[in-house]
Amino acid sequence: MPRSYEPKRPPMDACPVEHVVALVGGKWKARALYLLSLRPFAFAALRRELGAVSQQVLSTQLKAMQRDGLVGTVAGQDARFVLYVATPKGCALVNVLMPVAEWGTAELRARGEDWQPPLAPLTPTPPSVS
């Protein structure tokens, strides 16, 4: 007697929380986006500020955030360099994530881990973000 299989279920509707997690998922995206919401950074300076991120990983994640409209570039003082900066959309996301960061800070402290709470992000208005 042949076995009866259930048809695959249709995919669930899009979940807004999963969408946000996908935008900032990964070890460095949320940290980089937060820093870029404070001020523009050249690639090397951002990499230094983040710490142990590799050049390839940071480059890939910046490109993904640019594709998603969270990060843009502006011309630096030296024409050979571009500066990365959070777009208004990226800054809005950082502001939404700040309560999550506060909750996470309390959780880390409850576990006995020392953590410096993040400063409130600025809302930069770059001349032209591309």
Side-chain angles (χ1 to χ4, degrees):
M1 178 170 203
R3 240 176 141 168
S4 173
Y5 292 100
E6 286 185 36
K8 289 185 177 180
R9 292 187 207 164
M12 293 174 43
D13 290 338
C15 174
V17 174
E18 288 176 357
H19 176 69
V20 171
V21 169
L23 288 175
V24 293
K27 186 170 181 178
W28 303 104
K29 280 185 181 179
R31 293 175 190 216
L33 184 59
Y34 172 74
L35 289 171
L36 293 171
S37 74
L38 297 175
R39 67 177 179 87
F41 277 89
F43 182 88
L46 180 61
R47 185 171 174 220
R48 259 192 317 276
E49 191 71 27
L50 288 169
V53 64
S54 73
Q55 181 173 339
Q56 182 178 359
V57 167
L58 181 57
S59 176
T60 300
Q61 292 193 349
L62 283 171
K63 285 177 187 172
M65 289 191 292
Q66 282 182 293
R67 180 195 66 229
D68 294 333
L70 302 175
V71 171
T73 58
V74 294
Q77 287 178 339
D78 184 338
R80 297 176 296 165
F81 295 100
V82 298
L83 300 175
Y84 292 92
V85 63
T87 63
K89 178 180 175 181
C91 289
L93 180 54
V94 168
N95 285 322
V96 168
L97 292 174
M98 291 308 291
V100 175
E102 291 168 7
W103 185 87
T105 298
E107 282 293 301
L108 288 172
R109 284 191 177 143
R111 291 181 4 192
E113 296 182 37
D114 191 26
W115 171 253
Q116 179 66 35
L119 303 173
L122 304 175
T123 306
T125 51
S128 65
V129 176
S130 59

